[in-house]
Every structure is written in structure tokens, then in C-alpha cells.
Amino acid sequence: MVNMWTKLRKITFWILIYQLILQENAVSSEETPGCDSIVRPTNGSLYLPVKPRGSSTSLSLALTICAIILVFIVLVANGFNLIRKYIYEDKDNLDTDFDAGGRVSSGLTATTIVSQWTWAATLLQSSAVAANNGISGPFWYAAGATIPLLMFATLSVQMKTRAPGAKTFLQVIQARFGSRPHLVFCFFALLTNVIVTAMLMLGGCAVLTTLVQGLSLELAAVTLVTVIGACTFIGGLGATFYMSYFNTTIVFVVMFIFLIKVYHEGEGDQERNPLGSIERVYDLVSCSEGPEGNHARSYLTFLSSDSIMFGIINIVGNFGTVFVDQSYWQSSVAAKPREGMWGFLAAGLVWFSIPFTFATTMGMGYIALGTYYGEPLLSNAEVSAGLVPPAVAQSLMGKAGETLMVLMILMAVTSTGSAEVMAITSIIVYDLYQIHLKPFRRLTDSNCCILCGKSRGRMANRRDQCECSSMTDCIACTQDDKAISECNRTVKPNFKCKHHGNYRTYLNILRDKRDWCIVWVAMAIIPLTLLFDIIQVSLEFVYYFMGVLVGSSVFPIILSMFWARLTGKAIMYGAILGCLAGIFSWLLSASILNKEFNMSKFITNSAGNEFEISMLIANCVAIFSGAAITIIMSFVTKRHISEFETAETWEKTRDIDNPLSPWPELYIREFHITEMKLVYNRPSLEQMMTEFKKTNIIAFIVGSTTTILMIVFWPAVMTAIDIMSQSQFKQWIHLSDVWSFTAGIFIIATPLFMEIYSIVTQFKHKNARVRVHAAPEHELNNIMRSVSPQVKTNSAGQLEQFNV
């Protein structure tokens, strides 16, 4: 009886086991067909071949696109120059070439910043991060690069307040700390421009050589440099503002086309478009196996260690490439005094939508297509090179997709490349040639007038003080300008003004140097691109490593705008030692993690080599050691500072000026302050701080609040979701749709409206001035009031104030 009971229990046990096995098989048989039913049909045991990825865009078509863009650039640049000359009546001088007259609207500033910050790497590397890490990658890329733009708005206000006459942030360092720190930071600024330019060219050339038949790397580099050089040489900085508008417009339009193609076209012919709906993309992505660092190896989760590490690296690196890149300071200088801050804040929120939406579209589309075809579209090396968007565009749209990608990359490289060339040129002209190599007059400090060498304002002796007037009030300069404008000969007459003539001649020489600098800087990009190709450095490595090289100089630059106690030795040693510490920590951590010293492993992101961990360590060490060394050395080398020394520190930076067009003239008009004739008469620092108080508060609150939301609250909310469901994924895509369409409409419509309004208003003012000369005295008041309500007349009916 016992034996029978024992046998019965064994039989029951095995029956239960068998039932469990059947249930598992039933579940797996329900899941597997679900994934099998949405992939491409098989031919025997093998998947059908992937759509051909060979380049189908002809070289002649690509060169035709480049030629059309080049002609368009020439027309836009000349159009801009005509508008500034005949409508705004800007003086044709060196400063106008670099600051566009200092009256650029917030809308045009925003679109320029968006365009400059939309590198080829923005489009390519963000999609690569999405392809590697999944749905969290685009967010961390967008958030990490948006935060520096938003925080830079506060620095922009500080520079307008404490150094309104500076054309480069390096001039502030020169005025405060002297030549040695100035040269050190010239090196870091130029290094930043070289890194950014290298990333532009690496990404742009990789895409063009992949999509265009018969296009070599050398020809691709020459073509891009030709377009960049033409835009920069003809129009200067001002033309890049107009070109940036068209570039931003094209980027958004092309991005919307891909967005609709991937998520909203509708499920039809799967051979023509395997995607087409949010549900289809979700089903394909959910059947893909993600990286080991992701929760449950899913691409649809924010619980990703690799994405979080990339986010930190991205934030640190982008602080360096914004704060140390002269092109962003240049845009701040060119903006109207109160409007620069609004431009940077708007640009940050608009730009966020580009990598967020574009990478979510192309990166998730890449993963879905890999599942559909049964194999990845690209190798790991091709993904690292940034070829994810071209592969998706080619697979979904064929030759049309390739053409759109070529156009998008050309515009991105042209706009940012022009800004970088102008930034390098401004450093060479303003900070190296004008200060160190061939100055017009060697001065003991920034308080001395460059025209006469005498002291100005607060430090001047009454018996021996500068009395030089502005060129605006100089009758001789007006006569010189008239003689030059009426002269039709190639060789123009010399300046005859005794006060300003020699300096104006010197600035004309600098303009010639500027032209040659643009040519040589643009040409130098070609060997730089070939060098990076020869040493086989990937776009991914350069992007990760930029923070190690320039991150240490971020806090010294920030403190130079805020902290009077800062010393020259502190910022020098902070930047240099921080950089060296970052490089050393990278080599040390990579050697320990890989258990060997192998540079080929250190510079490639492959499985098992802990590439991202070593980069995370190096980036954090560079930026935080630079900050710590700078702060500690400042306390050690300057233990006490009086109120007089604090005030004098900022007066030195306010002394930076061009005597031909002093900064007080612009600020007097903007703030409606009683006009002052002499160069050293200017609004006080307290008055400037009062005028900018509201702007400063807004910049700080918006920048800090958005930063906390993006790096703390938003990720914290998303980590509460283990793996996105289909409805949650759909809501996420709708969020990116709404953000990108809103940002696109704003950045396309607002700058256009503001610029047209500004041109029309300026044209009315100009016509009013012409009518004043011919109008009878009793009509003068009515004319003035029709143009500006701020005009007042005295009891005799005479004009008291007319600020146009």
C-alpha cells in the first residue's frame, strides 16, 4: 500500500512538471509568433538581405547642392551687408565685422545659437547614443547640452554689465590679470575651437562620403571648407546670423519629414516603409535585446547605467564647449544689451527639441529596422562614426532620404563652421595681434586711452587727462567718410582727421589681417580633418574627450565674471593643472579597468573595455579639480580685498572700449540716459547693475530651475517606470512631437517677424531724419512724434531729445 502511494505521488509530480512545461511552451509560442510576425519574412533559414546600403547619390548631384548653397550664401551675405549699410547705416569697420553693430534682436540671437549648437555631432552622435542605449539616450544628450546654454544666459548678462565694451571674453581676462593668464586662456579657447571644428568635419565628411558615390574624404573636406569660407569671408559675423536662420529652418523641416515617416505615415506597404506608426516601432523595439546596463536589457527603460554615465559626461563636456568657445560670447556681444539673455534662454529650450526628437526618431527607428531585417544595419564602428541617421534615411526613403541628409549636414556644418572660423579669427585679431604682436600703442593698463596714451576718468590728472572725443562727434571724421564714399577709385584717400585718422588706418590694417585670417583658418581645417582621419580617432571619442581637455577652464572663466577676489595665478594653475589631472586620471583609470596600458582600447568604445567609466572619471576630475585649485589658490594668494579694490577690479573691465565707437553711446540710447560726449564719461557700475537687475534675476531663475527639472525631477519621475508600455511610449513620442513642433514654429516665425519689424522701424526713422531737414519748423514736432513718442519739445517748440 505504501509503495503504491509512493508511486502515485511520483506520477502526480511528473504530471505537474509536464503541465508546467506545456504552459511555458504555450506562453513562449504566444510570444515568439508575436515578434516573428512583425519581422521581415524569411527565405529558408536565413533572413532576406537588408536593403542595399551602398551610396546612390551621385557626385554631380552633391556638388550641385553645394553650388546652390554657395550661391545662396553669397546672396544672403550681400543682402545682409546692404541692409546694414543703407537701412541701419552701420559704419564699415572692424568691430561691425565681429559684432554686427551690437543691435541684433533676441529672435535672431536665438536662432543663431540654435544653429551654432546644432553641430553635425548633434544630429549624428545623439542618434548613436539612442541606438546604443535606447529611449533614455536622446533625453540625456538633449538635457546635458541644453543646461550650459541656459546657464550661459547669466554670464551673458554679467559681461554686458561689467565689460560692455569687450569683444571677447579673453579681453576681460587680459584687463583683470595681465598677459600670462590671457595667453593661457587663448590656448584653451583655440583648443576648444579646434575640437569643435574637428567634430564638425569628422561627422560631416563621414556622412557625405557614405551617401555620395565617388566622393573621397579629401574632396568632401575641400567642399565643406569652400562653403564655410565663402559664408564667413563675404558677410562676416552678421551674415552668419541670417544664414543661421535658414539653417535652423531647414533642420526643423527635414526633422519633421523623418518624424512623420517613422511615426505618423501609417502602416502600409512594409517593404516600402517597415515602420510608419508609433505602435509598429514600439512592437519592433520591444522585441530587440538592449545593452547589459539597461534594466531587463530593454531599450524602453530609463534605468540605464550607460545613459546616466553619458549624461554626466555630456553635461561636463558641454559646459566646456559653450563657456570656453568664443563663438557664443560673440553672439552675446552682438545682441542688444537687454535681449541677449532672452536669446540664450529661448535658444536652449528650442534646441532641446532637436536632439530629443531627432535622436528619438532616428535612433529608435534604427533599432526597429534592425529587428525587422533580423540584423543591425551598421557595425559598431559605423555607429560610433555617427552613421545611424544616414542608414535610417536611406532605408526608409532611398535617394530622397540621402539627399535630405546631405542637405541637413551641409547646412549644419556651414553654420557652425562659419561661427568657429569667426571665433578663431576674432581671437587672433583682438587678443593676439592687437594686444601682443602689433598693438597700436602699448599701454600700462586698460584705463589709458589708446589714441593719446593719457589716463581717462577716475584715474586721470586734471592737468594731463584724455580729452579725446568719439568719432561720432568728430567733424573731420565725417568729412573723411564722405570723401571715401564719394571716391570711385580702387585706392581710397587717406584719413585726414588728426585725432582718429591714425587709429582708423590701423583698424583698416586689422581688417586686412582679418580677411587673411579667415582664409588661412578655413584652409587649415582641411589638414586638421585629414590628420584626425589618419590617426583613426572616432567622432565618439572626440565628443567624450573634449571635457577632459577644456573642462578645467570652465570655473575660472565663470569666476572671472563674478568674483573680484580671483587672481591671475589661480586661474592659470586651475586651468592647466585641472587639464593635466583629467588626462592623468583618464589614463590611470583606463589602465586599471582594462588591466593593461593599451591606447587602442582607451579610445574605442567596445564591449568590456570600460570606456565610458574612464571617461566619466576623467571629465569629473578635470572640471572639479580646476574649480578647487582656482578657489583655493585665490584665497591663499589674496587673503584680503577692500571695497576700493573690488570696485577697481570691475572698472578695469569697463575700461575695455573702442574710442571710435564707445560702448556708452549704445547704452545711453538703450537706457535713455543723458548723452555724454567724451569717451571716459559713461554710466556707473551701480547704474548698469540697476538696469540689468531684472534681466539678471530672470536669467538665474530660469536657468537654475530648468537645470534642476532636467537633471533631477524629470529623470526621477521616469525611473519610476521600469519598462515603458505601449501607451507610455506613445505619450513620450507625442511629448517630443508637441515640443518640436512648438519650438519649430517659434524659431521660424519669431526671428522673421522681429527682423522685419526692426527693418521697417529703422527705415521709418531714417526717412524721418531726411524729412526733418526739409520740413518747416512748425511741422517738426509732428514729424518727431510720429516717429518716436519719447520726443519732447520745450516752451519754444524746439526739439529737446530725439533718440533714434
Side-chain angles (χ1 to χ4, degrees):
M1 193 71 182
V2 175
N3 290 333
M4 289 180 62
W5 177 248
T6 304
K7 289 181 180 180
L8 183 61
R9 284 194 302 172
K10 288 183 178 180
I11 292 171
T12 306
F13 173 78
W14 286 111
I15 289 173
L16 291 172
I17 295 296
Y18 182 70
Q19 289 177 340
L20 289 172
I21 292 173
L22 288 177
Q23 289 177 2
E24 280 190 27
N25 289 334
V27 172
S28 61
S29 65
E30 290 176 5
E31 292 177 352
T32 304
C35 287
D36 288 342
S37 64
I38 60 176
V39 300
R40 193 172 183 177
T42 61
N43 181 13
S45 60
L46 298 176
Y47 285 93
L48 292 174
V50 180
K51 284 187 178 181
R53 290 193 359 258
S55 55
S56 60
T57 302
S58 64
L59 180 59
S60 59
L61 176 60
L63 293 178
T64 301
I65 294 174
C66 291
I68 293 173
I69 293 175
L70 188 60
V71 172
F72 181 70
I73 287 173
V74 172
L75 293 176
V76 170
N78 283 291
F80 173 83
N81 290 334
L82 292 174
I83 289 173
R84 302 307 299 192
K85 181 178 180 180
Y86 293 105
I87 303 297
Y88 289 92
E89 298 179 320
D90 285 347
K91 298 294 183 181
D92 188 19
N93 54 42
L94 182 70
D95 281 357
T96 305
D97 292 339
F98 285 109
D99 65 8
R103 291 182 289 179
V104 177
S105 65
S106 57
L108 211 54
T109 301
T111 193
T112 303
I113 298 300
V114 170
S115 181
Q116 289 179 8
W117 202 217
T118 306
W119 307 343
T122 300
L123 307 172
L124 305 178
Q125 187 62 27
S126 62
S127 300
V129 174
N132 289 329
N133 301 329
I135 195 71
S136 60
F139 169 79
W140 282 113
Y141 189 102
T146 299
I147 290 168
L149 278 185
L150 298 174
M151 299 304 292
F152 190 85
T154 305
L155 271 188
S156 174
V157 176
Q158 288 300 312
M159 189 169 182
K160 292 285 188 183
T161 305
R162 294 178 172 174
K167 303 301 178 186
T168 69
F169 75 95
L170 298 166
Q171 289 180 320
V172 178
I173 294 176
Q174 164 70 19
R176 286 195 60 181
F177 309 114
S179 295
R180 288 185 179 179
H182 178 251
L183 289 173
V184 168
F185 278 84
C186 283
F187 168 78
F188 279 101
L190 292 173
L191 179 62
T192 303
N193 295 131
V194 169
I195 293 172
V196 173
T197 306
M199 283 194 287
L200 286 175
M201 297 301 294
L202 284 173
C205 291
V207 171
L208 293 180
T209 53
T210 300
L211 296 180
V212 180
Q213 294 177 352
L215 182 65
S216 64
L217 176 70
E218 294 80 5
L219 181 56
V222 171
T223 303
L224 291 175
V225 167
T226 302
V227 177
I228 291 171
C231 178
T232 313
F233 187 83
I234 296 173
L237 179 67
T240 64
F241 282 96
Y242 279 16
M243 275 306 304
S244 295
Y245 172 78
F246 292 106
N247 168 57
T248 304
T249 302
I250 290 173
V251 167
F252 269 97
V253 170
V254 175
M255 183 176 71
F256 293 154
I257 293 173
F258 289 135
L259 176 65
I260 294 171
K261 192 73 177 177
V262 172
Y263 289 120
H264 304 293
E265 188 180 44
E267 296 184 25
D269 184 3
Q270 292 187 6
E271 284 299 308
R272 187 179 60 84
N273 182 4
L275 308 180
S277 70
I278 300 175
E279 294 82 359
R280 177 79 176 166
V281 174
Y282 177 84
D283 292 338
L284 287 167
V285 172
S286 62
C287 291
S288 305
E289 187 178 57
E292 294 182 358
N294 286 20
H295 174 68
R297 301 202 69 170
S298 171
Y299 283 113
L300 297 167
T301 180
F302 257 71
L303 298 173
S304 171
S305 58
D306 292 341
S307 291
I308 294 173
M309 282 193 293
F310 171 79
I312 298 173
I313 295 170
N314 196 35
I315 293 171
V316 174
N318 283 305
F319 264 108
T321 49
V322 172
F323 286 45
V324 195
D325 191 340
Q326 168 58 23
S327 65
Y328 298 97
W329 295 92
Q330 224 158 244
S331 298
S332 172
V333 169
K336 292 180 180 179
R338 285 197 182 98
E339 296 192 13
M341 176 271 297
W342 292 110
F344 278 95
L345 294 180
L349 297 175
V350 169
W351 183 89
F352 178 89
S353 67
I354 295 178
F356 182 54
T357 302
F358 187 80
T360 301
T361 301
M362 307 305 274
M364 302 307 285
Y366 171 84
I367 298 170
L369 287 172
T371 304
Y372 176 76
Y373 288 121
E375 62 178 352
L377 298 182
L378 303 170
S379 65
N380 291 334
E382 289 172 323
V383 171
S384 297
L387 298 181
V388 169
V392 175
Q394 189 181 54
S395 295
L396 296 181
M397 300 179 67
K399 189 173 182 178
E402 293 178 359
T403 304
L404 288 175
M405 280 304 306
V406 168
L407 178 62
M408 198 179 198
I409 293 299
L410 277 173
M411 296 303 294
V413 172
T414 299
S415 178
T416 311
S418 299
E420 294 303 313
V421 170
M422 285 301 297
I424 295 173
T425 302
S426 66
I427 293 172
I428 294 173
V429 171
Y430 279 114
D431 293 285
L432 296 179
Y433 192 90
Q434 194 173 12
I435 293 178
H436 297 286
L437 298 179
K438 293 289 182 66
F440 177 75
R441 185 190 301 274
R442 295 196 178 273
L443 304 173
T444 56
D445 57 61
S446 58
N447 182 254
C448 295
C449 174
I450 197 169
L451 296 179
C452 62
K454 298 178 181 180
S455 295
R456 300 174 293 177
R458 68 195 185 283
M459 299 182 67
N461 188 323
R462 292 185 178 180
R463 297 181 179 179
D464 188 27
Q465 69 176 5
C466 169
E467 296 183 354
C468 297
S469 62
S470 167
M471 190 179 72
T472 307
D473 307 310
C474 182
I475 298 175
C477 286
T478 303
Q479 294 173 347
D480 285 341
D481 291 337
K482 183 177 179 181
I484 292 173
S485 63
E486 293 175 351
C487 179
N488 295 322
R489 294 178 298 174
T490 303
V491 179
K492 302 296 181 181
N494 296 325
F495 298 109
K496 297 181 180 180
C497 177
K498 296 180 180 180
H499 296 290
H500 306 106
N502 290 337
Y503 189 64
R504 295 184 70 182
T505 303
Y506 173 75
L507 292 184
N508 281 348
I509 295 173
L510 289 186
R511 290 195 72 185
D512 294 336
K513 303 296 181 184
R514 183 217 70 149
D515 294 341
W516 281 107
C517 278
I518 291 174
V519 173
W520 287 110
V521 169
M523 291 178 63
I525 296 175
I526 299 174
L528 175 69
T529 306
L530 300 180
L531 175 63
F532 274 77
D533 180 68
I534 291 171
I535 62 179
Q536 293 296 302
V537 174
S538 68
L539 175 65
E540 184 178 38
F541 170 76
V542 178
Y543 189 86
Y544 275 75
F545 197 64
M546 61 184 178
V548 180
L549 295 177
V550 302
S552 60
S553 55
V554 170
F555 275 98
I557 292 173
I558 295 174
L559 293 175
S560 68
M561 298 291 172
F562 285 92
W563 197 24
R565 191 169 180 173
L566 190 67
T567 65
K569 289 184 178 179
I571 64 170
M572 271 182 26
Y573 287 114
I576 295 173
L577 296 180
C579 177
L580 295 177
I583 296 173
F584 177 76
S585 63
W586 168 60
L587 296 174
L588 180 62
S589 59
S591 300
I592 294 174
L593 292 170
N594 289 282
K595 299 179 181 179
E596 63 175 327
F597 188 87
N598 188 338
M599 288 298 296
S600 62
K601 287 187 176 181
F602 295 174
I603 64 175
T604 55
N605 188 6
S606 57
N609 68 352
E610 310 295 349
F611 172 83
E612 290 185 337
I613 297 178
S614 62
M615 284 296 180
L616 174 63
I617 294 171
N619 274 270
C620 291
V621 168
I623 192 168
F624 291 119
S625 63
I629 293 170
T630 300
I631 294 172
I632 293 172
M633 284 201 65
S634 293
F635 280 112
V636 171
T637 54
K638 185 181 282 188
R639 298 188 177 184
H640 304 285
I641 182 170
S642 63
E643 291 185 5
F644 174 79
E645 290 175 317
T646 301
E648 186 59 27
T649 296
W650 303 122
E651 290 301 324
K652 288 179 181 178
T653 60
R654 283 157 42 82
D655 285 336
I656 304 169
D657 206 357
N658 180 355
L660 301 186
S661 54
W663 64 261
E665 293 183 355
L666 174 62
Y667 285 77
I668 286 168
R669 289 196 302 267
E670 289 291 328
F671 299 151
H672 306 294
I673 302 171
T674 304
E675 188 174 357
M676 294 166 283
K677 298 293 184 182
L678 300 181
V679 172
Y680 59 82
N681 288 327
R682 60 196 184 194
S684 65
L685 178 60
E686 291 74 16
Q687 190 172 6
M688 294 286 286
M689 294 179 71
T690 301
E691 295 288 346
F692 282 106
K693 183 178 180 180
K694 183 179 178 181
T695 307
N696 201 9
I697 292 173
I698 294 173
F700 177 77
I701 292 176
V702 174
S704 56
T705 303
T706 310
T707 298
I708 294 172
L709 287 174
M710 284 189 174
I711 66 175
V712 178
F713 289 106
W714 194 343
V717 171
M718 294 308 300
T719 52
I721 303 172
D722 289 342
I723 297 174
M724 286 187 181
S725 64
Q726 188 179 99
S727 62
Q728 290 168 338
F729 181 73
K730 188 181 294 186
Q731 292 170 4
W732 186 261
I733 299 303
H734 288 328
L735 172 64
S736 71
D737 290 350
V738 172
W739 197 315
S740 60
F741 276 99
T742 303
I745 293 171
F746 172 83
I747 207 64
I748 292 172
T750 303
L752 183 63
F753 171 78
M754 294 183 71
E755 190 65 12
I756 292 175
Y757 177 80
S758 178
I759 291 173
V760 171
T761 304
Q762 185 65 28
F763 184 74
K764 289 181 178 179
H765 287 170
K766 180 183 176 182
N767 285 344
R769 287 197 300 269
V770 174
R771 290 165 57 197
V772 165
H773 294 289
E777 186 175 352
H778 66 276
E779 295 182 3
L780 183 60
N781 186 37
N782 292 332
I783 295 175
M784 294 298 101
R785 290 186 182 279
S786 66
V787 177
S788 175
Q790 297 170 350
V791 174
K792 298 178 181 179
T793 54
N794 57 24
S795 58
Q798 296 173 336
L799 183 67
E800 285 187 348
Q801 182 179 356
F802 178 48
N803 290 327
V804 177

